[in-house]
Amino acid sequence: EASRGVGVVLDVAEDADGLGRLVKDADVVVSLLPAPMHPAVAERCLEHGTDLVTASYVSPELHALQERCEQAGISILNEVGLDPGMDHMSAKKIIDDVQGRGGEITSFSSVCGGLPAPEAANNPLMYKFSWSPMGVLRASKNDAVYMQEGDVINVDGADLLSSARPFVGNWPSMHLEVLPNRDSLVYADKYGIQSAKSIFRGTLRYGGFSNVMHVFKNMGLLEEGAEAGQGTWADALQRLGHKRGYTDLKSFASACAGGDPALAANAVGCLKWLGITSETEVSDPADIVKSFCSVLEDRLCFEEGERDMVLMHHDIRASFGDGRHETHKSSLQLFGTDKMSAMCKTVGCTAAVGTDLLLSQGRGGFERKGILLPTSRDIYEPCLAALEAEGLRFEEEMVVDDEGEDLKFGA
């Protein structure tokens, strides 16, 4: 039980005055709300001179508040969760060390995934939700761009799931796959690695997940704004098939699987396991994605006693003027416990140590105002030390060789 906390029910979107009163009385605000709600919280923080911490990516709306934050004398520390958050800190620690010794980064890869532990990956998708189900579905349709050996590779959101590749960088027994994650190119400037010819950020899943989800996407189950229609899931699937010119589920699935019979069979088997070929009523006739998300949320949940798992891995390669090449690998693997999930610990502890850092201002330590990220040494060093004290420690290794090899997508 939270002996030092008080629960309050508040509609942040509708009760600006109530939000303002809470912010006014706070030493610092930690917002773990959906990212689109952070600007409204930030406005109240500006009004009352209160620092703010979020675990979300900096939005254009928050980025535009830099000058106002400086004028108000407040800090808004963003991207202090797992990804983004711990990824920034652990990667920049290596990058800054290499550059401080006169090296330049030639290749950068960073991947992360929130997954069920292997023994809990016991369903056809080998996946369970440890964060927002709708967020997972929407992320599977994001456009992505990365750099491979100097070539810029663009991936349309419609093709993201089909772009998954086997991940061979670590944990080979898990048979993982990796998907490109949003815009990797911005990290050239964000991390100061403009010298890199390969820059890749990715999302980890167990192998096979993306292909089956791509079939579901082709079927129309991820199409936002589309109706499911009245009736059962069997009726909804029939309507989706008819819309695309198919009269039976087998031929519909085969077409959506690109003619791959094994993949089509896996997809149909998964649909049956989910209950989407049954006479179960759709939950929201006006929205196929919400209805599908509701099914996934119900079926892909952790049972009592099951563990989640967080994986993060960096592969950073560098060259030096004397011809030396270094390959740095940094990995984190964390399993949930009966007291706390791995996702909760990695996001929550990172936000907490960031909060503690802001609270230390004025006591001879950290002192900076404006829109902040955990990519500078004065932020990531104390945060990584505090995280290590909580058992969140990266395993690092470095290999020195005479010939550098560029990094391939999936490595």
Side-chain angles (χ1 to χ4, degrees), residues 28 67 88 95 104 108 190 238 259 300 362 369 395 406:
V28 62
E67 187 174 342
H88 295 330
I95 291 167
E104 67 174 21
F108 173 83
K190 184 175 282 191
Q238 187 176 54
L300 303 183
K369 306 301 179 185
E395 298 294 331
D406 205 3

Side-chain angles (χ1 to χ4, degrees), residues 113-117 127 130 176 204-206 302 307-311:
L115 299 162
Y127 187 78
S130 56
L176 300 168
L204 294 173
R205 295 286 182 260
Y206 285 110
F302 285 90
R307 304 183 300 169
D308 74 323
M309 174 180 68
V310 161
L311 300 174

Side-chain angles (χ1 to χ4, degrees), residues 70-285:
E70 292 175 350
Q71 292 173 347
I74 72 167
S75 306
I76 299 184
L77 178 57
N78 302 277
E79 303 188 21
V80 279
L82 169 64
D83 178 358
M86 293 181 72
D87 55 344
H88 295 330
M89 300 177 192
S90 50
K92 277 290 282 178
K93 174 188 172 186
I94 296 170
I95 291 167
D96 287 351
D97 172 69
V98 167
Q99 294 174 337
R101 293 184 288 113
E104 67 174 21
I105 304 301
T106 58
S107 294
F108 173 83
S109 171
S110 176
V111 299
C112 182
L115 299 162
E119 75 276 5
N122 51 11
N123 62 58
L125 286 169
M126 298 184 71
Y127 187 78
K128 292 180 179 179
F129 291 111
S130 56
W131 65 293
S132 164
M134 187 61 77
V136 171
L137 294 186
R138 286 178 173 151
S140 71
K141 298 181 291 180
N142 285 333
D143 295 338
V145 58
Y146 60 96
M147 183 180 293
Q148 179 74 60
E149 298 181 17
D151 295 326
V152 174
I153 311 297
N154 287 283
V155 181
D156 189 271
D159 301 319
L160 182 69
L161 289 164
S162 64
S163 73
R165 299 289 182 270
F167 176 68
V168 296
N170 211 356
W171 309 293
S173 64
M174 293 189 188
H175 306 292
L176 300 168
E177 64 186 26
V178 60
L179 295 150
N181 182 12
R182 304 196 193 198
D183 184 355
S184 296
L185 302 188
V186 299
Y187 289 84
D189 291 332
K190 184 175 282 191
Y191 288 172
I193 54 172
Q194 293 87 348
S195 57
K197 299 301 182 185
S198 294
I199 303 176
F200 178 81
R201 295 181 79 251
T203 301
L204 294 173
R205 295 286 182 260
Y206 285 110
F209 170 88
S210 299
N211 280 341
V212 172
M213 288 297 292
H214 186 64
V215 175
F216 295 164
K217 189 272 295 181
N218 289 342
M219 286 181 155
L221 292 169
L222 307 185
E223 186 179 346
E224 294 198 52
E227 294 184 0
Q230 296 288 343
T232 67
W233 268 112
D235 297 330
L237 275 181
Q238 187 176 54
R239 281 190 290 269
L240 289 172
H242 285 169
K243 182 179 178 180
R244 289 159 175 79
Y246 299 96
T247 58
D248 64 277
L249 179 57
K250 184 177 180 180
S251 59
F252 181 31
S254 178
C256 292
D260 183 333
L263 177 56
N266 287 343
V268 170
C270 187
L271 287 173
K272 290 180 178 178
W273 180 84
L274 289 169
I276 288 184
T277 59
S278 71
E279 297 303 311
T280 305
E281 295 284 323
V282 297
S283 59
D284 188 343

Side-chain angles (χ1 to χ4, degrees), residues 30 314 348:
V30 182
H314 307 309

Side-chain angles (χ1 to χ4, degrees), residues 5 50 155 161 199 214 236 270 311 340 360 375 390 394 399 403:
T50 307
V155 181
L161 289 164
I199 303 176
H214 186 64
C270 187
L311 300 174
M340 186 181 297
S360 74
T375 52
E390 296 295 330
F394 284 81
V399 176
E403 293 186 10

